[in-house]
Amino acid sequence: MLVMFVPVALLNIVWFSSFSGQTLMGDDLDLVIQSRTPGGYASNFFDAFTQTGSDKFRPVVTPVLSVITDIFGSSFPSYRNLNLAVQVINVGLVGLLAWRISRRNWLVAFIAMTLVSVSRFNVYFVLQIYGLMEGLAVTFILGMLMAVHANYERHDRRFLVIANVCYFLVVFTHERFIVLAPFLVVTTLQASGTFRSLGERIRWATIPLGVAGFNLAVKVYVLGIDFFTGPGGQSVDFGPNQVMVFIGRAVLNLLGFNTGPAYLTGRNAHGLGFLGVGLCAFFASAVGVLVVVLVLQWVRAGRDRQRAARAWLLGGSLIGPLLLSASITFRQEFRWLYAPYIVLIIGVSWALGRVAPRSQVQVVLALAVLVAGLTVDVYYRRFVENTYFFSGLRFADNVRRDVIDRHRHELKSSTVFLVTHGDPVVDGFFLHGGGFFDVYAPGADVRLVMSLEAAAAADQLRPRLLAFEVQGDFVIDVTSQLGPIEDRPVAAEER
């Protein structure tokens, strides 16, 4: 396993090292600012176990965020390297699980690790501080799945204890994974040779339901927060039709057909015409042929239909709720599809392990899945940086370089105007209302203004003036367009 893991780990390092972004912005910037504010979110390790942020209660990850923000501060590359380490660990766990459920097939395990490594759904996991939250959640999910598989093989209920502990941890890492309770219920009810009576089996099956109920009760009745809260603390208002649309989009995205606005998907395949359909058909066909071959093999071998139905029920109770949790929203982000994609790849690994073991048919099908999956994600990779947080990373890098680094020696004696034209995304999200400069240029007098005219009317200025205008992801030096400073009041401390 180690022989395969090393090149895949190197693949992850190379794959993510080419992405840009050295500066905090958006939610990550807000996190660092909050962590430096007394009483703020993740500002104290012990308080972090009971804190809420944006109406979210996540007592597993919040203390971790408190520790790493204290250690890394504003060093964005440090957070990215930590997230990459978690990503590599998760890839290794995927490979180990794929190897076990494919009947110890090394090729299948290698394919699973490779496809998960280059998935376009995992970019957020590495390139945002909050990606650590998503990464840890995936770690707990994989631990849960490995424990469930171990219980099926060894008929030892201690593994069900481990699975439920992992479920508890993942639910209190990110609340959307509360939907995994049905999977553990089905798993427990189907586990053969583990329990002495039906009553005992049912009692064990209620454990995940109790965990889910406890999570809900703490949030609603103890903390008084809305359970259905989406990104940015917004309440999620959804209807059945909207959820079904998002589930349909999720399925298409998993099969290689990007659907959704470019700022979330990188590139909508509807604009690719035949090429987009072809990419989807390539991967979907590879998976579809695999399923057909497996079913035909079962029919010819007279496989127990009841046993096969239990296998499909178990898989459906896992990926179905994950797709649902990614679809109860007002916008569907790709990071929410990473867990369903991992489950899809694990399911494919399970199927490959049962198709004519150690035969040429198995090898051909496995390689077809690998080539098709790689084709989809390598193609879409060129569009990944169209997503919203890449735009924010580029903008933050440009502001830091062109405004702060190039004028660092002038900032103390200068008033800096940044003309944002009142863009709420730039003002409120990317720059956090000017908090960006508190982090990267403490003590600087930087003012976000609507226009150069607003800058010209400002007072309480420092002896020198600098002005920059936001144009897309760039900032342009427009200092020469400012009027003279002589006729305006100067800040008292600069007189």
Side-chain angles (χ1 to χ4, degrees), residues 441-459:
D445 179 20
V446 181
R447 309 183 189 185
L448 309 183
V449 295
M450 287 282 294
S451 62
L452 280 174
E453 289 75 16
D459 56 13

Side-chain angles (χ1 to χ4, degrees), residues 60-344:
V60 173
V61 71
T62 306
V64 177
L65 294 175
S66 177
V67 171
I68 64 172
T69 51
D70 188 49
I71 296 173
F72 297 150
S74 60
S75 175
F76 179 73
S78 298
Y79 297 105
R80 186 176 59 191
N81 292 338
L82 175 61
N83 289 353
L84 179 58
V86 174
Q87 161 71 4
V88 170
I89 291 171
N90 286 340
V91 167
L93 292 176
V94 168
L96 182 58
L97 182 57
W99 177 71
R100 288 181 176 177
I101 67 173
S102 65
R103 298 175 174 173
R104 276 64 175 172
N105 189 303
W106 299 103
L107 175 61
V108 171
F110 177 77
I111 290 173
M113 287 193 292
T114 301
L115 292 180
V116 169
S117 296
V118 302
S119 169
R120 63 199 184 282
F121 305 122
N122 65 22
V123 179
Y124 182 98
F125 284 62
V126 176
L127 300 182
Q128 295 283 271
I129 299 179
Y130 277 109
L132 179 64
M133 171 186 66
E134 303 281 357
L136 289 176
V138 167
T139 303
F140 296 137
I141 291 173
L142 291 171
M144 181 187 73
L145 295 179
M146 293 180 72
V148 166
H149 182 259
N151 176 67
Y152 269 77
E153 285 195 332
R154 304 182 188 182
H155 309 298
D156 188 339
R157 71 182 67 185
R158 287 178 295 182
F159 290 110
L160 281 181
V161 173
I162 295 173
N164 280 286
V165 169
C166 287
Y167 175 64
F168 179 91
L169 292 173
V170 73
V171 166
F172 282 96
T173 297
H174 199 303
E175 59 284 339
R176 80 171 184 273
F177 294 113
I178 197 172
V179 298
L180 291 173
F183 168 73
L184 280 180
V185 171
V186 172
T187 294
T188 306
L189 294 177
Q190 289 191 6
S192 60
T194 305
F195 304 103
R196 291 186 293 269
S197 67
L198 177 61
E200 185 180 27
R201 185 185 299 272
I202 293 175
R203 286 194 297 273
W204 276 76
T206 61
I207 293 176
L209 298 179
V211 172
F214 178 65
N215 179 271
L216 179 63
V218 168
K219 290 181 177 178
V220 175
Y221 299 110
V222 177
L223 300 175
I225 59 178
D226 186 3
F227 183 77
F228 289 106
T229 303
Q234 300 182 49
S235 294
V236 178
D237 184 16
F238 60 92
N241 292 338
Q242 178 179 306
V243 171
M244 293 306 299
V245 168
F246 278 133
I247 289 176
R249 288 182 179 179
V251 172
L252 289 174
N253 282 317
L254 292 182
L255 293 177
F257 190 87
N258 268 19
T259 179
Y263 80 95
L264 294 176
T265 65
R267 179 66 186 269
N268 192 324
H270 292 282
L272 298 176
F274 178 77
L275 180 59
V277 176
L279 285 172
C280 178
F282 190 18
F283 184 62
S285 297
V287 175
V289 169
L290 170 63
V291 172
V292 170
V293 171
L294 180 63
V295 171
L296 290 177
Q297 179 178 295
W298 283 353
V299 171
R300 291 174 183 173
R303 185 179 173 90
D304 184 356
R305 293 184 180 180
Q306 186 177 6
R307 187 178 177 186
R310 286 201 301 267
W312 289 108
L313 174 62
L314 192 63
S317 69
L318 179 58
I319 195 168
L322 286 174
L323 290 174
L324 177 64
S325 71
S327 303
I328 300 177
T329 181
F330 51 84
R331 68 167 185 260
Q332 190 175 73
E333 297 189 27
F334 263 18
R335 58 183 166 125
W336 300 332
L337 299 180
Y338 191 40
Y341 181 74
I342 288 176
V343 170
L344 173 64

Side-chain angles (χ1 to χ4, degrees), residues 371-440:
V371 172
L374 283 177
T375 300
V376 169
D377 281 306
V378 170
Y379 175 79
Y380 280 126
R381 187 183 189 280
R382 72 184 70 181
F383 306 115
V384 166
E385 296 199 19
N386 292 338
T387 54
Y388 71 95
F389 64 86
F390 271 107
S391 176
L393 289 173
R394 284 193 300 270
F395 175 72
D397 280 346
N398 290 334
V399 172
R400 186 179 179 185
R401 181 194 64 209
D402 297 337
V403 177
I404 298 175
D405 292 344
R406 289 183 181 175
H407 301 276
R408 188 168 296 278
H409 298 298
E410 307 169 55
L411 290 179
K412 187 175 181 180
S413 60
S414 301
T415 292
V416 181
F417 295 103
L418 187 61
V419 182
T420 64
H421 305 290
D423 186 332
V425 175
V426 172
D427 286 1
F429 185 64
F430 291 164
L431 298 179
H432 198 268
F436 178 90
F437 298 98
D438 295 332
V439 172
Y440 287 107

Side-chain angles (χ1 to χ4, degrees), residues 41 50-58 62 130 225 229-230 232-233:
Y41 181 70
T50 57
Q51 281 185 319
T52 61
S54 298
D55 273 352
K56 311 287 179 63
F57 179 56
R58 296 165 176 171
T62 306
Y130 277 109
I225 59 178
T229 303

